[in-house]
Amino acid sequence: MEKFIQELGSHTDEPTKIMLQNVYKHKVKFDNYKKKLIFCTWCSLFFFLILFYYINYFILKPYGTSADLMFSAIIADGFIYILIGFLIFLGGLGSHFKKKKEKHEKEYQDLRKEIVQKSHLLWRYPFDWEQRNEVFQKMKMEKDINLYHENK
């Protein structure tokens, strides 16, 4: 269990700590896939720009007067196939990361909403209810997990 969750004290019982730990785990997975998707998107853009530059300066400029020569140069050039292969690979990888990100976001949001809905059961007693705000603030400030509202 994470150190910050263990330090919540006696006003938060063990099942609640486990629920908070699960929300945190799903948030970490969601954030990791989000970063991977952004990285994959930037790599795709980078390779697309390289392909555009390569075609413009090595195909269009020298062979721009004849469509037959341009088509022949594109077909004969292996580097274009490599760049297109990278773009296809990055597109598939990005699609995979997007599906994983959406899956973990849904699980994270469902667990987070469950804690928000069950907060009156998890902190039943008045003295625990006062400490609930400290737990929610700690989760919001340290881990960017909003437990105050069900909406994002």
Side-chain angles (χ1 to χ4, degrees):
M1 191 172 294
E2 297 295 319
K3 185 177 181 183
F4 76 96
I5 292 176
Q6 289 176 345
E7 294 173 351
L8 291 177
S10 61
H11 54 271
T12 305
D13 59 353
E14 285 302 313
T16 305
K17 288 180 182 178
I18 291 171
M19 289 176 76
L20 293 171
Q21 175 68 26
N22 285 336
V23 169
Y24 175 68
K25 277 189 208 175
H26 282 85
K27 169 84 167 136
V28 168
K29 287 180 183 178
F30 164 64
D31 287 342
N32 286 339
Y33 280 112
K34 189 175 174 182
K35 288 176 188 174
K36 288 177 183 179
L37 179 61
I38 290 170
F39 179 75
C40 192
T41 303
W42 280 107
C43 286
S44 297
L45 179 64
F46 176 72
F47 279 107
F48 178 76
L49 291 175
I50 289 174
L51 179 66
F52 179 76
Y53 174 81
Y54 187 81
I55 288 175
N56 189 34
Y57 285 100
F58 295 106
I59 305 294
L60 290 179
K61 291 219 181 208
Y63 306 109
T65 58
S66 172
D68 291 338
L69 290 175
M70 280 193 311
F71 185 70
S72 299
I74 288 172
I75 297 297
D77 197 338
F79 187 66
I80 291 176
Y81 293 126
I82 292 171
L83 289 175
I84 291 173
F86 274 126
L87 286 172
I88 291 171
F89 172 74
L90 288 170
L93 191 62
S95 176
H96 171 73
F97 287 152
K98 184 176 180 184
K99 287 177 186 175
K100 289 285 197 175
K101 179 191 83 94
E102 289 172 353
K103 174 188 169 213
H104 286 290
E105 180 181 21
K106 183 182 180 321
E107 290 173 357
Y108 159 67
Q109 292 296 339
D110 289 345
L111 288 171
R112 190 184 64 76
K113 288 176 185 178
E114 182 181 358
I115 290 176
V116 171
Q117 291 170 354
K118 291 183 178 181
S119 64
H120 65 282
L121 296 173
L122 299 173
W123 290 275
R124 283 181 233 182
Y125 305 109
F127 55 89
D128 286 340
W129 186 256
E130 295 167 2
Q131 301 298 324
R132 176 191 74 107
N133 189 42
E134 290 179 27
V135 172
F136 285 10
Q137 277 184 334
K138 195 171 193 177
M139 294 295 282
K140 177 68 176 160
M141 295 305 218
E142 291 184 19
K143 304 302 175 189
D144 195 31
I145 298 174
N146 183 4
L147 297 173
Y148 288 108
H149 305 286
E150 287 186 34
N151 297 336
K152 295 180 186 177

